[in-house]
Amino acid sequence: FLTEVSRENDRLLREVDQLTQRNSDLIEIIKQQGRIKELQRANKNGKAESLTALVIGRDSTQWSKMIFIDKGTDDGIRGNVAVVTDAGIVGHIIHSTATTSKVLLITDSRSAVDSLFQNTRAPGVSTGAGGNLCEIKFVPIDAELEVGDRVISSGLGGVFPKGWMIGTVVNTVKRKQELFQDVVVAPSVDLSRLEDVLVLLPVTGKL
């Protein structure tokens, strides 16, 4: 009798473990579906075709900042295209295989995004500053900026559509006899917690 009770207990424990895992899987599916809906809603202007992708890897050092996603040329990705979330710009694709792509994050020192300060419309170029920050280069010395000002993509350069959030100003420095001021920006996207992203594919118009 005790042997049968022990076997039944073991069976019930296995069922509990299986149900717990199944419940966890369902929670993850629901959360991912919610994130995907937010991503798709983010492409409000509808000017770019898009597809969602899952982050499957990271390559991050002091200066090199990249992620890997589970979409590639088989999914229609061609050349340098923008990668975003509902919070703003993540980076752009620099290499693709049939099923995966490598994304250079905006915090990488090799990244460059033509930018605008949303309030003043002053131009600049956002580049990675190391760590988790960006700096905006070539900002005119006479541009009046404040901490908290929003920075968006200008649409120039052909990679990033206009109007996507880059980040907010956290510091500005004006130096005497300089043509440009130093501007540091915190990205609007938490790049350390990426799970799903939106790839903005180029519009293929008919000739």
Side-chain angles (χ1 to χ4, degrees), residues 89-174:
I89 292 177
V90 170
H92 71 282
I93 289 175
I94 58 173
H95 178 72
S96 296
T97 66
T99 57
T100 64
S101 294
K102 183 186 295 186
V103 180
L104 190 73
L105 301 180
I106 59 172
T107 49
D108 191 290
S109 60
R110 297 165 292 176
S111 174
V113 185
D114 277 290
S115 310
L116 284 175
F117 291 89
Q118 196 168 45
N119 291 336
T120 65
R121 315 310 289 180
V125 177
S126 173
T127 65
N132 298 315
L133 297 172
C134 297
E135 57 183 351
I136 312 297
K137 295 183 176 180
F138 312 118
V139 180
I141 195 71
D142 59 352
E144 294 299 327
L145 305 176
E146 296 181 0
V147 171
D149 282 354
R150 292 158 61 99
V151 183
I152 62 173
S153 54
S154 70
L156 302 177
V159 176
F160 301 95
K162 186 175 183 177
W164 285 89
M165 270 289 292
I166 295 173
T168 54
V169 175
V170 295
N171 190 38
T172 64
V173 177
K174 293 184 178 182

Side-chain angles (χ1 to χ4, degrees), residues 6 18 29 36 48 51-52 58 89 93 113 129 131 150 162 165 175 177 182 202:
S6 178
Q18 291 171 355
I29 290 172
I36 289 173
L51 59 89
T52 57
R58 295 179 181 273
I89 292 177
I93 289 175
V113 185
R150 292 158 61 99
K162 186 175 183 177
M165 270 289 292
R175 306 180 192 279
Q177 299 180 339
D182 300 330

Side-chain angles (χ1 to χ4, degrees), residues 48-63:
E49 297 182 18
S50 62
L51 59 89
T52 57
L54 181 69
V55 176
I56 57 173
R58 295 179 181 273
D59 181 9
S60 180
T61 63
Q62 182 179 1
W63 294 104

